[in-house]
Amino acid sequence: MPVPIGKFLPAVGECMLLTSPAFKPTTFCRRVAFFSCSATLKSRAIYRDDESDWNDPEEYRRRRKTEWKRRQGGQSFLDHLIINVRGGKGGDGCAAFHREKWVPFGPPSGGNGGRGGDVYILPTSELTTLSSVAKRVRADNGGNGMGEWQNGKNGAPLIIRVPLGTIVRQLSRDDPRRAKDEWEAEKESLDGLDADERKAKMRDKRWVHYPRASESNVERDTFKEAEQVLLKQERERRIARRMKELDEPIYLDLDHEEVVEIAPDAPLGQPRKGDFGHLIASGGVGGVGNPHFLSQENRSPKFATRGHEGERVTLSLELKLLADIGLVGFPNAGKSTLLRALTGGRAKTAVAGYAFTTLNPVVGVVRVAEDGTFEGGLSRHGMIHDETIVEEQEQKERMERGELADALTRNQASQIEADQKGYSSGHRFDLMERFRFTIADNPGLISKASENVGLGHSFLRSMERSLALVYVVDFSVPEPWEQLAVLREELEQYQPGMSRKARMVIANKADLMGADGDPESVVEAKEKLRRLEEFVKENMSEEGRMEVIPVSAKFSQNLQKVVGLMMSFVQEARDKNDS
């Protein structure tokens, strides 16, 4: 596609571009100011700021309300973020002359400026949220050149660490959340000035003059030629940058950690390349000192160039959890209780009798032994996963009565269990482990969630990467199949084909049906289970054969079959991905 060159001209139109010898800036650098060399920033600038308003006020209000709800109770999980990234500015070149005894008028000796620091993004398994990423990131500037041919120091690279599963997108130019790039920022700073003031400000930003030589420099033909070459190179750099944005915008799917392999025959004592990740913003090139402009016509150049601005980009970071199994269900369907039961109470999820107890995804690990025993099933006999506030109150009462004074610790209880059975949970289960997978407890899904109602996209976004989905319905409600129909419809509305990942239906809270042993209640429960199985068979045949398993997460009943099926789903998906 042809690009209109006129769009990329510098802000000052009266600067003509003429042909002259190539102007090649040098990039080797060091630091410190000498004579007319400007000062260098010594601290790394990382700021936090609010995002720009959306064009749609209703959408913006809903998004802010959703984020507010998810931050209640001190929770800091964050899965979507807009950040402004800026590479470090190149250091300024120096205009100086060599001086020593018996040499009062030495040659030009100004050093080059250092290159600005680059900005990289690196995925790591140590993080689970984007809350540690600053919204405004800027790398170190390069150091200024000095006299006696001393180059400025290169700016240190800055690495942004994000959790695995993060998708990085560069915002387009028509997005209102995008910040101005370096040329747009300069153009904005020149608004309201006349032609002479604009030219003077542009020159001051690009050139360093020897003391008391600025007025005479601008009248010299050698300076005018160098200025035309500098502007021509700047325009070419700007065109290349715009073409890159159009043809190759930044898009990264950070779903695995980068591994740097070192050859076994690599020589010792040699510097090795570090694992910085993916480059997203390059630092600016340092300015050149006045020796660069030495020629037969100009034996005493009294000017140098300033460093270039670093690249500025606005990125959208979107975290999609990499859990093997995703639990999908209505609010208060028992997903958090189920996760605690499967992990033996190790998953720190809140359980309560009201909707939207879980506001942020929680991931737990299920470990399975050779004989199919899972670690969560080795918990203390008779363990009941009740509401969080009830468990805390019971623990407090036991402590006040003094029952915990002589109680066994968790390690002591595990040791006794290991002596009796030959195995137990915790680190003693490591020798028994044959397979492991992760389960994500996600916020409850309601009708119209695909339209961002409730927690909306904040929930659905975390489900896209799951290898398999499991529906969790409340078996105690009169018609649990209605919940199932809504869940399937919302998944399809959000992303066509997403419901095909569903492999199983868990009918939770089955202990509330026929628990008293009444024959009529038992018959009613069996009839409801039969109707649920028929609904799944008739209306969800596209997903393939789907099991319906009644369980009681509160009392950890019938979970062995659930773990076995989940393990087979994950193994099948992993084998498919490997092939």
Side-chain angles (χ1 to χ4, degrees), residues 32 105 137 161 164 205 287 292 308 423 429 463 516 579:
V32 188
F105 302 103
V137 181
R161 288 179 169 81
L164 292 176
K205 186 177 180 180
H292 180 84
H308 299 167
Y423 53 84
F429 195 81
M463 305 301 300
D516 53 358
S579 61

Side-chain angles (χ1 to χ4, degrees), residues 190-459:
L190 298 176
D191 291 341
L193 303 179
D194 57 31
D196 294 336
E197 292 175 340
R198 288 159 62 94
K199 182 182 294 185
K201 189 169 183 178
M202 287 189 64
R203 281 177 171 170
D204 183 64
K205 186 177 180 180
R206 289 165 171 79
W207 297 97
V208 176
H209 298 280
Y210 194 76
R212 299 184 299 275
S214 58
E215 296 183 359
S216 60
N217 280 339
V218 298
E219 302 298 332
R220 295 177 179 271
D221 293 338
T222 53
F223 176 82
K224 294 179 180 180
E225 292 178 1
E227 183 178 41
Q228 292 163 3
V229 174
L230 180 66
L231 292 175
K232 180 180 179 180
Q233 291 185 346
E234 182 177 323
R235 188 178 71 168
E236 293 174 351
R237 189 170 66 252
R238 184 175 182 181
I239 293 174
R241 173 79 177 281
R242 296 288 177 85
M243 294 296 295
K244 181 180 178 181
E245 291 180 359
L246 293 174
D247 299 338
E248 300 178 356
I250 297 175
Y251 181 85
L252 301 173
D253 189 354
L254 308 177
D255 57 352
H256 62 279
E257 288 190 270
E258 302 291 335
V259 179
V260 177
E261 297 183 357
I262 300 176
D265 57 346
L268 298 177
Q270 297 294 326
R272 298 178 178 177
K273 181 180 179 182
D275 184 14
F276 293 157
H278 302 271
L279 177 65
I280 57 176
S282 300
V285 178
V288 295
N290 60 335
H292 180 84
F293 302 99
L294 184 64
S295 64
Q296 293 294 337
E297 294 78 17
N298 187 9
R299 303 304 301 168
S300 180
K302 295 182 175 61
F303 51 87
T305 62
R306 297 190 183 275
H308 299 167
E309 291 285 344
E311 291 184 353
R312 303 185 189 183
V313 294
T314 303
L315 303 176
S316 169
L317 306 184
E318 185 177 356
L319 174 59
K320 298 181 179 179
L321 294 180
L322 296 176
D324 297 320
I325 300 290
L327 301 181
V328 186
F330 266 50
N332 210 26
K335 300 183 298 298
S336 299
T337 307
L338 179 61
L339 181 63
R340 293 185 64 188
L342 293 173
T343 59
R346 295 180 179 272
K348 303 302 181 182
T349 59
V351 179
Y354 54 85
F356 290 112
T357 309
T358 302
L359 298 176
N360 297 303
V362 179
V363 179
V365 179
V366 178
R367 302 198 296 171
V368 187
E370 184 71 32
D371 59 354
T373 303
F374 65 101
E375 186 180 15
L378 301 177
S379 303
R380 295 183 299 275
H381 180 70
M383 184 176 183
I384 299 176
H385 302 283
D386 211 330
E387 296 184 18
T388 305
I389 188 172
V390 174
E391 292 182 351
E392 293 176 352
Q393 184 64 27
E394 291 178 352
Q395 187 77 356
K396 182 178 180 181
E397 292 176 356
R398 292 184 61 193
M399 185 179 297
E400 292 175 350
R401 291 194 300 265
E403 296 181 7
L404 301 180
D406 299 325
L408 297 176
T409 64
R410 181 184 300 175
N411 292 335
Q412 291 172 340
S414 299
Q415 181 63 46
I416 295 176
E417 184 181 17
D419 294 339
Q420 295 175 351
K421 300 181 180 180
Y423 53 84
S424 67
S425 59
H427 66 277
R428 296 180 179 85
F429 195 81
D430 293 346
L431 298 177
M432 305 287 297
E433 180 182 344
R434 180 181 68 89
F435 191 85
R436 72 164 55 190
F437 59 92
T438 56
I439 301 179
D441 170 25
N442 295 275
L445 182 65
I446 62 176
S447 180
K448 297 184 179 180
S450 58
E451 300 176 13
N452 212 17
V453 175
L455 295 182
H457 296 169
S458 300
F459 155 73

